[in-house]
Amino acid sequence: MAIETTLSIIKPDGVKRNLIGEILKRFEGAGLRVVATKKTALTLQEAEGFYNVHRERPFFASLTQYMTSGPVVVSVLEGENAILKHRELMGATNPAQAAEGTIRKDFALNIEENTVHGSDGSETAKDEIGFFFAGAELIRSRG
Ligand code: GDP
């Protein structure tokens, strides 16, 4: 199995409700390593850029407002099959459809304020990691 890296975001609702530690603990408990992490606040322009693929969706304005409503924690996770493993830990987009024991089932407030983001493929992961972290930050923090 391949060692992959993926981008995780603890969204504003998760940070507001003091869930940073609980969520990172779930990643580590599943064998993923946190190779870089930081708390930051997205500008509207950054949120719009990050979610550019959803620009035409009816929820785009609401989503980008929400993503700028408070700080987020962005992390790079590394491990075997990290992209899919992370998505499985998160659960389905809509918490009403998320499996038992997933982060979204346990913590998401609704389909929009769903606590976490995770890259959905290797190309997206590469782009999303590059969106938040410079290469040197990743090398320094490995291990
Ligand atoms: P993800 O990969 O599971 O995060 O889901 P998507 O890429 O489809 O959507 C990105 C984000 O947009 C989701 O995590 C939600 O925060 C938000 N979102 C998705 N679908 C809806 C929707 O139908 N309504 C609203 N208000 N927000 C949505």
Side-chain angles (χ1 to χ4, degrees):
M1 242 186 288
I3 299 290
E4 294 175 333
T5 49
T6 190
L7 185 87
S8 146
I9 305 179
I10 303 175
K11 296 180 176 184
D13 68 277
V15 174
K16 269 186 198 127
R17 289 180 292 148
N18 244 4
L19 293 171
I20 299 169
E22 168 67 32
I23 292 169
L24 294 182
K25 188 175 166 194
R26 289 187 182 206
F27 298 152
E28 291 190 329
L32 297 172
R33 294 185 76 85
V34 180
V35 298
T37 191
K38 62 186 173 190
K39 191 175 195 181
T40 186
L42 296 178
T43 64
L44 186 59
Q45 197 181 15
E46 286 167 341
E48 287 174 352
F50 186 80
Y51 278 120
N52 195 39
V53 294
H54 294 309
R55 197 168 280 274
E56 304 305 324
R57 300 283 193 92
F59 56 82
F60 183 70
S62 169
L63 172 63
T64 52
Q65 285 292 333
Y66 152 61
M67 287 299 289
T68 56
S69 67
V72 295
V73 171
V74 289
S75 307
V76 178
L77 307 177
E78 181 183 72
E80 277 190 7
N81 236 357
I83 297 170
L84 186 62
K85 192 180 272 183
H86 179 217
R87 296 279 301 183
E88 284 174 358
L89 292 168
M90 287 167 42
T93 310
N94 185 347
Q97 283 152 19
E100 290 296 331
T102 60
I103 294 168
R104 284 167 166 170
K105 176 72 177 184
D106 290 345
F107 302 117
L109 300 174
N110 52 58
I111 194 171
E112 180 172 279
E113 297 171 292
N114 58 3
T115 316
V116 280
H117 166 87
S119 310
D120 63 4
S122 54
E123 277 306 302
T124 336
K126 193 163 165 272
D127 289 351
E128 291 182 353
I129 291 169
F131 190 94
F132 287 106
F133 293 95
E137 287 181 276
L138 301 176
I139 292 158
R140 270 202 305 273
S141 56
R142 210 154 281 269

